[in-house]
Amino acid sequence: MDNIAGQKSGLSIVTNVAVFIIVLLWLIPTVGLFVSSFRDRDQISASGWWEAPFSVELSYRTRADDAPTRDGDLFVAQGNIFETGEVRDQFASGANSIAAFGLRGREPGAFAAGETVENRDGGTVVVNADGGYVYTSPEPIDDAGPRLYFLAETPPDFTMSNYAEVLTGLDEEERAQEIASGATFGELLFEETGIFRNFINTLTVTIPATIIPILIAAFAAYALAWMDFPGRGFLIACVVGLLVVPLQLALVPLLNLHNQIGIGQSFLGIWLAHTGFGLPLAVYLLRNYMVGLPRDIIESAKVDGATDFQIFTKIILPLSFPALASFAIFQFLWTWNDLLVAKVFLPSTGDAQVMTVKIADDLLGSRGGDWGILATAAFVSIAIPLVVFFSMQRYLVRGLLAGSVK
Amino acid sequence: MPPILQGIITIIIGVGGCVGYFYAANLFLDKVLFPARGPNAGRNINRANIVRPWVFLFPAVFALGLYLVYPVVGSFIRSMYDRSGDEFVGAGNYIRLFNNPDFRQAFLNNILWALVVPAVTTFMGLLIAQLTDRLKWGNIAKSIIFMPMAISFVGASLIWKFVYAQDPDLGIINAIRASFGGEALDPLQIPFWNNFLLMVILIWIQTGFSMVILSAALRGVPEETIEAAIIDGANPFQVFFKIKVPQIIGTIVVVWTTITILVLKVFDIVYTMTGGNYGTEILPSFMMDFMFRDDGQATAVAFVIMLVVLPVMIWNIVQARKEMR
């Protein structure tokens, strides 16, 4: 239809390119986060994620700890810097080269590899590109060896250790200790510190908070769509109006109410809150959908003597599956992603924290600069919604359209 | 008890209780209260049918009333009492708010959000819907642009923290600046403009939603009108702006309204990105500063948010009533 006027080619190239650029712009932020979540902490701060497949220059510090020998007046320590005690593990895979070295932590790359420089006590130091070093000193060298700093090209290092750290809340050393003392990784997952616990909490909040409003709304939507009673129009108008009520209004009065009736800040409280806040959209979407179902089916079922309850469970529910699925996805995403309601209706610390609160309050506060951990935590929190979203996208769109396009 | 087990049990109780209510209530209505047997069978059936809608509606009406209607009234009353809720101060909280420069800043920022985000989101959604409609890989492109809908505002904020990071080895913005020789700066601390950087996040999340709905609307535009316009010599831009847009204006308004409502509810982005510092405060995050400390002021802010949304609400109800006739 668009190429009737014979102007297809030029415009279609422009369209393709434009859409490609937009898609790229939309993807870049998420891809960056995804790549960062697998990168080693030092590498994240040394090069951008877009350079992740390439080697980066990282700075290291070590001690020239090869046993010193005596050469005339001088004491000499020599060997290969990659094999010194403090960095040996990091270069176990071999084949590295040194770009520069230094004698002070503030300037780890002060001198180019191969340059011979004077050190503080009057001797000389040289570190060659292949890692071979010679350290001389007029005074005896102690066993620990003098400090050396160097910059080395380090190959990309993709690791799952960020995920292990985020899920258990323990860093590599602590995990190794716990496992040495007999704990399995599965047990570590349930440490209070880890985000896995918050993950379970989020599920506990989300599943009932998705199913309960659907059940309640489906019955109400059926009544509003197919049953005759006084005040129906008024109720529908109310639901439409309530779609717009800002959540913030509900926070203070309801928290006070919850405290008074004794549920306080608890899972029960947050289920009820999510149910209440999700209902207007649920009733609205489901009613719009049910009204569109063919009248004949319902009337003939009534003639055959079916009660409303039977019509609802045997005919309307199965027929409304697309709308039910669409709302379920919506409500699931909304409760999973919610921060505000959880901050108000769940205790702010400890056992009941959900993931969004954990990330926003704990991780951003205490680990603000630890980008690897933040990226990983974000990815753990968006993984399930993304899976649900992509597997159920069809239903989401169908239900959305049933409710909003006239 | 392990948390997983505890979770499963609570889930079963919650969902089971709900199913139980509907089943038991119906059974009670049909078998005990108005049985369709005996001398009054006919009258009983009629009575049961009068009561039944309310059995179906009761949980929904109760929950809506308690969680949405009562708070509107409750918040309004609460906003006229002082911090502890003991002393009636009338409009005192509101007067204090409007004398607070931070509140005025939050209010203005909120209006800026409510104007810019829906406009840009709707426009982008419309543009992308039109562009992708005739592409072979249009559906893939749409899925990718729709994807951020699934991402939490907190997650999205973290994603964009990377983009905006000050370190040119982390943040793309500063990396690009650095490649042109610019100094690294913290984009989120540039007064006024940082508001727009935060809005970009919400636009990124919501454009997919607007695109999906508008794309369906565009497909509903009758082909005859487009063909006629092309035969009359209209170029693609004229077809788009003069033929298609006017025919889907109703849907555009729906999308615009939905996003406006969402903007007024948004809190997570500002809270996670800047905590309301550097002049980025909006009403919901401003309200959170008072939450748990000064309920009088907190509810007063909530009520101001309500007043901002009121016209949209009335317009919605009027529209719905019109459709029902």
Side-chain angles (χ1 to χ4, degrees), chain A residues 382-403:
Chain A
I382 66 179
I384 299 266
L386 280 182
V387 170
V388 169
F389 181 79
F390 276 115
S391 54
M392 314 271 285
Q393 199 184 15
R394 255 180 332 137
Y395 298 110
L396 181 64
V397 172
R398 221 191 290 172
L400 260 181
L401 299 182

Side-chain angles (χ1 to χ4, degrees), chain A residues 1-2 4-5 7 11 15-16 18-20 22-23 25-30 33 36 44-50 190 197 200 204 207-208 211-212 215-216 219-220 222-224 227 229-230 233-237 239-258 265 269 271-273 276-277 279-280 287 308-309 330 333 337-340 343-344 356 359-361 364 371 374-375 378 381-382 385-386 389-390 393 396-397 400-401 404-406, chain B residues 3-4 7 10-11 14-15 18-19 22-23 26 30 49 52-54 56-57 59-61 63-64 66-72 74-75 78 124 127-128 131-132 134-135 137 141 143-155 158-163 165 167-172 175 203-204 207 209 212-213 216-217 223 226-227 230 236 244 251 254 261 264-265 267-268 271-272 284 287-288 291-292 295 298-299 302-303 305-306 309 312-313 316-317 320-321 323-324:
Chain A
M1 147 188 110
D2 284 314
I4 307 174
Q7 42 180 243
L11 208 62
T15 314
N16 268 300
V19 172
F20 184 75
I22 294 172
V23 166
L25 281 177
W26 244 254
L27 263 185
I28 281 176
T30 319
L33 185 85
S36 300
I44 288 180
S45 50
S47 72
W49 59 264
W50 52 92
F190 289 98
R197 220 188 152 77
I200 300 289
T204 312
I207 295 176
I211 301 175
I212 297 174
L215 273 174
I216 296 180
F219 276 96
Y222 173 73
L224 290 176
M227 292 165 106
F229 59 92
F234 172 74
L235 274 182
I236 296 172
V239 170
V240 173
L242 291 176
L243 276 172
V244 189
V245 171
L247 210 71
Q248 279 84 5
L249 273 177
L251 303 181
V252 174
L254 285 175
L255 188 61
N256 289 341
L257 183 79
H258 279 186
Q265 291 179 311
W271 291 343
L272 294 176
F277 301 146
L279 266 182
R287 191 202 86 94
D308 276 311
F309 191 72
F330 246 126
L333 293 177
N337 292 337
D338 158 75
L339 171 70
L340 182 60
K343 268 184 82 70
V344 175
T356 46
I359 293 173
D361 283 359
L364 268 176
W371 295 96
L374 289 179
S381 81
I382 66 179
L386 280 182
F389 181 79
F390 276 115
Q393 199 184 15
L396 181 64
V397 172
L400 260 181
L401 299 182
S404 51
V405 179
K406 305 283 147 53
Chain B
I4 290 190
T10 38
I11 287 169
V15 176
C18 194
V19 176
F22 283 110
Y23 190 75
N26 256 284
D30 286 335
N49 283 341
R52 199 183 321 273
W54 299 102
F56 281 18
L57 277 168
V61 170
L64 284 174
L66 186 63
Y67 279 83
L68 289 168
V69 180
Y70 157 69
V72 175
S75 271
R78 186 63 187 79
M124 290 287 291
L127 185 78
I128 298 173
L131 287 180
T132 49
R134 51 181 126 164
L135 285 190
W137 54 292
S143 287
I144 289 172
I145 290 166
F146 198 29
M147 175 201 71
M149 272 285 281
I151 296 178
S152 63
F153 287 1
V154 173
L158 278 180
I159 290 176
W160 283 84
K161 260 190 184 270
F162 269 77
V163 177
D167 183 346
D169 280 332
L170 279 171
I172 303 172
I203 293 168
W204 179 75
T207 295
F209 166 78
V212 163
I213 305 225
E223 284 186 21
I226 299 165
E227 275 170 22
I230 292 176
K244 288 187 178 174
T251 312
V254 169
I261 296 165
L264 294 170
K265 288 178 178 172
F267 150 80
D268 315 19
Y271 182 80
T272 334
M287 178 193 170
M288 211 54 190
M291 200 63 206
F292 304 117
D295 283 355
T299 44
F303 213 75
I305 301 176
M306 171 79 188
V309 200
V312 184
M313 186 195 236
N316 257 297
I317 295 176
R321 303 221 77 158
E323 266 158 35
M324 260 183 297

